[in-house]
Amino acid sequence: MDIRYFDDRTALYTAVSEHFQQAVANGATTFGLATGGTMEPLYENLRNSDVDFSTCTSFNLDEYAGIDKNSPHSYYTYMHEQLFNAKPFAASYVPVGDADDVDAEARKYEALLQANKRHIQLLGVGENGHIAFNEPGTSFDSETHVIELTPSTREANARFFSSLDEVPTHAVTMGIASILDADEIILIACGENKRQAMEALVDGNVTVEVPVSILNNHPNVVIYTDLKLPVAVK
Ligand code: GLP
């Protein structure tokens, strides 16, 4: 893993957006995208850049189950506000959280992923080590599926809703195998609340109890972090 430490977040996000722009310049066309507070400064940089995604395709990691795509809380809305309205892609896919049959939606999404290998997969990490919405205990072989969110994840994400009760209980998420299928993974982890998960990652012990630890088994991972991790300071 290539761990890039920045003590300055502005510099960190400049570096990640340059990484993206360089990838597009080098011919990358298929991107896996992520949501969450961590991604907002990146998307702001990309909105303000001259990057052109108009010939590219994007796939989002996940969506809350049972949520209307036009809800202000959906990841569909988040992506349009944060990136797509300013920088449209030729095609952008976000799982349909309120599909009549969400399990069928998950299978359809997985088929799309398998037909469109991602050059780059952007990732954040949950405080409990989840990636996308793959909570601790999720099989490393998992494909896109419906998952029940843990109480800690619902609490961590409640800040985006008016109350905890409004946070959906389930989500449709790329599986861990789906995520690992990308050629390159860019992980961004900022803030002390991510330290425990990141220390478990760099510790090198791969365990389903810390989903992000599976990145140790991917050949091409770049981590942008403002955390001084044990291996980052060696
Ligand atoms: C959600 C998303 C994850 C994201 C995580 C961290 O649970 N499903 O993809 O990595 O939140 O979010 P934040 O960046 O807001 O800390």
Side-chain angles (χ1 to χ4, degrees):
M1 288 183 299
D2 175 355
I3 302 178
R4 302 183 186 175
Y5 166 75
F6 293 81
D7 58 7
D8 176 67
R9 281 201 194 172
T10 304
L12 183 154
Y13 283 103
T14 299
V16 189
S17 49
E18 281 171 358
H19 191 146
F20 261 76
Q21 291 175 72
Q22 197 57 51
V24 175
N26 290 344
T29 57
T30 310
F31 293 84
L33 298 178
T35 54
T38 305
M39 302 303 154
E40 292 180 12
L42 168 63
Y43 293 145
E44 182 181 0
N45 285 354
L46 291 173
R47 286 198 304 273
N48 294 329
S49 76
D50 57 9
V51 71
D52 180 4
F53 290 121
S54 65
T55 57
C56 299
T57 303
S58 71
F59 290 91
N60 261 81
L61 284 170
D62 47 17
E63 178 62 284
Y64 290 112
I67 205 164
D68 186 302
K69 70 177 187 179
N70 295 314
S71 156
H73 303 304
S74 74
Y75 285 162
Y76 177 94
T77 297
Y78 171 105
M79 286 309 303
H80 282 77
E81 289 175 353
Q82 292 290 324
L83 188 64
F84 299 156
N85 292 346
K87 294 286 180 187
F89 285 65
S92 282
Y93 298 92
V94 181
V96 179
D98 67 346
D100 289 340
D101 181 343
V102 274
D103 293 309
E105 167 64 16
R107 286 192 295 275
K108 199 170 91 184
Y109 202 76
E110 183 65 31
L112 274 172
L113 291 174
Q114 292 188 9
N116 294 275
K117 193 171 163 68
R118 281 141 291 142
H119 294 117
I120 290 190
Q121 175 64 58
L122 181 61
L123 270 190
V125 61
E127 291 174 23
N128 65 2
H130 73 229
I131 49 175
F133 270 131
N134 293 287
E135 298 284 28
T138 307
S139 163
F140 289 151
D141 295 329
S142 52
E143 297 186 335
T144 306
H145 62 289
V146 179
I147 193 156
E148 180 172 7
L149 303 178
T150 62
S152 73
T153 294
R154 292 184 67 238
E155 276 160 30
N157 289 357
R159 68 191 195 280
F160 296 113
F161 295 79
S162 341
S163 71
L164 180 59
D165 286 349
E166 273 188 33
V167 184
T169 57
H170 291 73
V172 186
T173 181
M174 278 190 204
I176 293 179
S178 333
I179 291 169
L180 291 190
D181 196 35
D183 292 339
E184 179 178 22
I185 293 178
I186 299 176
L187 172 69
I188 310 177
C190 288
E192 284 300 321
N193 58 332
K194 305 295 171 72
R195 178 176 292 284
Q196 202 178 344
M198 293 304 290
E199 288 188 348
L201 165 63
V202 300
D203 171 61
N205 180 29
V206 177
T207 164
V208 290
E209 292 316 317
V210 186
V212 72
S213 69
I214 192 63
L215 298 188
N216 282 291
N217 289 359
H218 191 283
N220 194 5
V221 176
V222 182
I223 298 171
Y224 289 90
T225 186
D226 67 354
L227 292 166
K228 277 193 175 160
L229 299 167
V231 293
V233 294
K234 268 182 193 161

